[in-house]
């Protein structure tokens, strides 16, 4: 257990539905990252927060995706109008300080039917 | 954009063998991570290094900045070492910070008893 938690661990949804995932980082960590991992691939960067500010977004993050970190603590990632191609593991990580070692949560596995 | 390549993609070994996994990248970096991912998704950070060599138990990680190459070695391998090992790099950008990671596809290691 790295101290980063994600909820839910698994989500099965039908195409077209909206889903929301939550990440709780290690409490003193000011940086929070979302990554997506498809089967057989390494994770890919989606977006990054420093405190409550979203500082960078990947072009992978289409307009159906939105992420928030309203109080600089937990974060949510919402996917609207899910598509089968959204099926993946969604990973959250957090870090702080100049070393910036990232600690990963267990991930949320999304299956879109 | 940094391109991260790992080799081999799959590796099968007998218990006790010495294991080497390689990682190369295309653009200068500020740090390189070696990560371990077990079935089910959870990612654990093994090493973060920017130069030289680090050792933790039976694991050794080395990096050659000039050659843009890193290796992860496992001595006296054991079936519990079976996992996916992922190399990830943090780009070196002039000026402001760049904290996101770019990942390789991973190496699936299976150690048979």
């Amino acid at each position: 257990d790295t101290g980063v938690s994600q909820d839910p661990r698994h989500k099965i949804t039908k195409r077209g539905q909206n889903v929301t995932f939550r990440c709780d980082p290690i409490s003193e960590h000011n940086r929070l990252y979302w990554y997506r991992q498809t089967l057989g691939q390494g994770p890919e960067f989606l977006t990054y927060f420093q405190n409550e500010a979203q500082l960078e977004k990947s072009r992978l993050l289409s307009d159906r995706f939105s992420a928030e970190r309203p109080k600089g603590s937990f974060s949510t990632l919402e996917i609207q109008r899910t598509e089968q191609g959204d099926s993946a593991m969604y990973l959250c990580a957090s870090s702080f300080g100049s070393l910036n070692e990232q600690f990963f949560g267990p991930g949320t596995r999304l299956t879109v039917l | 954009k940094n391109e991260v390549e790992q080799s081999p993609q799959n590796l099968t070994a007998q218990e006790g063998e010495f294991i080497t996994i390689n990682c190369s990248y295309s653009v200068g970096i500020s740090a390189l991570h070696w990560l371990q991912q077990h079935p089910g998704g959870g990612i654990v950070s093994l090493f973060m290094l920017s130069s030289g060599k680090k050792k933790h138990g039976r694991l050794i990680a080395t990096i050659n900045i000039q050659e843009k190459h890193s290796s992860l070695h496992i001595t006296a391998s054991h079936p519990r070492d079976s996992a996916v090992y992922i190399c990830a790099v943090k780009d070196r950008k002039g000026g402001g910070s760049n904290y996101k990671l770019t990942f390789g596809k991973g190496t699936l290691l299976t150690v048979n008893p």
Side-chain angles (χ1 to χ4, degrees), chain B residues 67-89:
Chain B
E67 294 186 4
K68 297 186 178 62
H69 180 269
S70 176
S71 293
L72 175 69
H73 305 286
I74 305 175
T75 61
S77 59
H78 190 275
R80 65 175 175 266
D81 297 327
S82 298
V84 175
Y85 291 84
I86 303 172
C87 170
V89 301

Side-chain angles (χ1 to χ4, degrees), chain A residues 2 9 31 33 35 37 40-45 48 50 56 89 91 97 99-102 104-106 109, chain B residues 1 33 35 37 40-48 86 90 93 97-106:
Chain A
T2 63
R9 296 290 304 276
R31 300 189 194 102
Y33 313 80
Y35 297 95
Q37 185 179 26
Q41 303 294 315
E44 294 176 292
F45 171 78
Y48 148 61
Q50 181 154 308
E56 191 169 350
M89 175 75 83
L91 293 161
L99 282 181
N100 196 47
E101 183 174 7
Q102 294 187 22
F104 287 82
R109 183 169 294 284
Chain B
K1 183 189 172 198
H33 298 247
L35 309 164
Q37 186 173 32
I43 290 179
V44 174
S45 178
L46 300 174
F47 295 103
M48 185 175 74
I86 303 172
K90 184 158 71 77
K93 263 190 181 178
S97 58
N98 177 20
Y99 295 104
K100 71 184 183 206
L101 296 176
T102 303
F103 297 79
K105 290 185 178 180

Side-chain angles (χ1 to χ4, degrees), chain A residues 31-36 44-50 53-61 65-69 75-77 91-93 102, chain B residues 99-101:
Chain A
R31 300 189 194 102
L32 186 147
Y33 313 80
W34 285 99
Y35 297 95
R36 181 172 70 185
E44 294 176 292
F45 171 78
L46 291 179
T47 190
Y48 148 61
F49 290 86
Q50 181 154 308
Q54 188 174 20
L55 295 187
E56 191 169 350
K57 292 185 345 181
S58 164
R59 58 184 169 77
L60 293 175
L61 214 66
F65 287 70
S66 62
E68 294 183 339
R69 194 183 182 198
S75 175
T76 57
L77 177 68
L91 293 161
C92 173
Q102 294 187 22
Chain B
Y99 295 104
K100 71 184 183 206
L101 296 176

